[in-house]
Amino acid sequence: MNEQTFYRWRVLIGSRSFGQAFPEHLTALAAAGCQVIPNGVGRAYREQELMELLPSMDAIITGTDALTAAVIAASPRLKTIVKHGVGLETIDLDAARSHGVIVSATPASIHDSVADLTLALILALARKIVPAHLEMRVGGWKPFFGIELMDKTLGLVGLGRIGKAVCMRAQGFGMAVIAADPYPDLAFAEVHHVRIVSLDELLATADVVSLHVPAEMVKRTLIGETELARMKPSALLINTARGQLVDEEALAEALRNGRIAGAGLDVFVHEPPIGSPLLTLDNVVLTPHIGGRTLDGQRRMGEMAIENCLRALRGEEPLYRVA
């Protein structure tokens, strides 16, 4: 039996993390009748590359590939775009709808992973864990004075799945929680004693400001010089959402001059952030976009992506359709 008759569908893998920790996810697609075409460039596909590759594909499991209107229009065979993750800013959803291409995501897969990292960044800054570790690596024994989280106020900018998961963890440390969200879950807020406030009040009140807003919902930089000036000098800023939410030059200046006490960042405008002034500062903890990089989260995300993909290819409704 030749390859053309054996495989029902051709699936391009754009996401570099899909199948990385769990190769059996690739095997599962093949067992279901998919010819799996792995990522051949070691990064997100660019528009011109997809213009050449995608017309012969039935599906793509994407990370941050440039799925523009031109790419989608040039791919008449394409049935579904499966986001391996949650961010949709690199997918032209209107173009997908107009061409009958089903778009799905995996929103319930990594919120606990990101919430764990958020708390880790808060604790690392509060207790100065990174400088203390580096001090001991060179034989030092200098005391580092930090702060407790008990009775401090956490300000969540965004109260979706991840914001809620961070809330639950922070309250376990005795923190009060406030939140700014244009469409808050009032039932959750009432049950968990979260006070809904404006962004201005949150910035002025919170000891820790943590961002959990999808970039596609924000049409401008959310935290810039003006917003940083509203924060307490003792406050910490955490961003595990999207790098575009923060003006990094303004943040670096605020950290240099003591306008705020520290920042924990997992995401950046340009990744990797080569040459960023943030790399030179001692009151910053930086991680290389690892919020969702847990084995637990990657397993769930891969399984959901497979299910979304196969359902759409079979003409069924995917688990989490977004367009």
Side-chain angles (χ1 to χ4, degrees):
M1 184 179 294
N2 63 44
E3 186 177 89
Q4 192 67 29
T5 58
F6 178 78
Y7 292 113
R8 297 178 64 188
W9 306 292
R10 303 189 79 220
V11 180
L12 177 65
I13 308 300
S15 169
R16 288 160 290 169
S17 59
F18 180 81
Q20 185 179 60
F22 296 94
E24 57 266 35
H25 291 167
L26 298 170
T27 305
L29 284 174
C34 298
Q35 181 185 9
V36 178
I37 293 84
N39 184 306
V41 294
R43 52 165 169 76
Y45 281 110
R46 296 169 182 148
E47 182 180 54
Q48 187 54 47
E49 293 165 336
L50 288 175
M51 293 285 283
E52 297 170 7
L53 282 169
L54 211 56
S56 64
M57 302 295 164
D58 297 286
I60 178 171
I61 296 180
T62 182
T64 57
D65 309 289
L67 288 156
T68 64
V71 168
I72 293 169
S75 307
R77 179 171 168 173
L78 186 65
K79 299 177 180 65
T80 185
I81 296 169
V82 181
K83 173 68 182 187
H84 186 236
V86 292
L88 302 169
E89 59 268 26
T90 59
I91 305 170
D92 192 315
L93 297 178
D94 289 335
R97 291 186 190 98
S98 66
H99 287 86
V101 176
I102 295 172
V103 182
S104 61
T106 57
S109 57
I110 58 169
H111 59 284
D112 282 322
S113 300
V114 178
D116 284 352
L117 181 66
T118 300
L119 257 292
L121 291 172
I122 294 171
L123 286 165
L125 288 165
R127 296 310 308 268
K128 304 188 187 305
I129 289 173
V130 173
H133 167 76
L134 294 175
E135 172 76 8
M136 291 196 67
R137 287 287 295 270
V138 297
W141 193 258
K142 185 173 74 174
F144 288 85
F145 290 95
I147 61 170
E148 295 178 349
L149 298 186
M150 178 67 73
D151 296 328
K152 299 298 190 296
T153 298
L154 171 65
L156 297 170
V157 183
L159 194 60
R161 282 189 179 90
I162 297 172
K164 290 173 182 175
V166 174
C167 169
M168 302 291 284
R169 287 158 173 76
Q171 288 179 334
F173 282 87
M175 299 188 80
V177 180
I178 59 177
D181 190 307
Y183 309 104
D185 183 338
L186 296 178
F188 177 91
E190 182 178 1
V191 169
H192 296 283
H193 309 289
V194 179
R195 187 163 62 91
I196 305 299
V197 299
S198 67
L199 179 60
D200 284 349
E201 183 178 349
L202 183 147
L203 293 171
T205 304
D207 298 294
V208 180
V209 174
S210 191
L211 307 182
H212 303 287
V213 182
E216 62 266 19
M217 292 181 61
V218 178
K219 304 303 181 186
R220 60 174 180 82
T221 299
L222 190 65
I223 303 295
E225 182 179 357
T226 301
E227 290 74 24
L228 290 163
R230 292 193 178 106
M231 294 173 63
K232 297 178 179 180
S234 58
L236 307 173
L237 177 68
I238 309 295
N239 187 12
T240 55
R242 290 290 183 271
Q244 291 76 10
L245 297 174
V246 176
D247 181 333
E248 292 178 357
E249 292 290 336
L251 175 59
E253 182 62 26
L255 290 163
R256 270 194 297 263
N257 64 28
R259 187 63 200 82
I260 66 171
L265 308 171
D266 184 50
V267 290
F268 308 88
V269 174
H270 302 290
E271 297 184 349
I274 297 170
S276 170
L278 295 166
L279 297 171
T280 66
L281 301 174
D282 294 331
N283 52 349
V284 185
V285 177
L286 308 173
T287 52
H289 205 150
I290 59 171
R293 293 299 185 105
T294 64
L295 292 176
D296 312 85
Q298 290 295 307
R299 185 191 69 253
R300 286 191 298 267
M301 186 187 294
E303 290 170 353
M304 290 179 187
I306 291 167
E307 187 68 16
N308 282 336
C309 184
L310 294 177
R311 285 191 182 202
L313 289 173
R314 293 192 299 253
E316 303 167 6
E317 188 67 15
L319 293 175
Y320 299 101
R321 182 170 181 164
V322 293

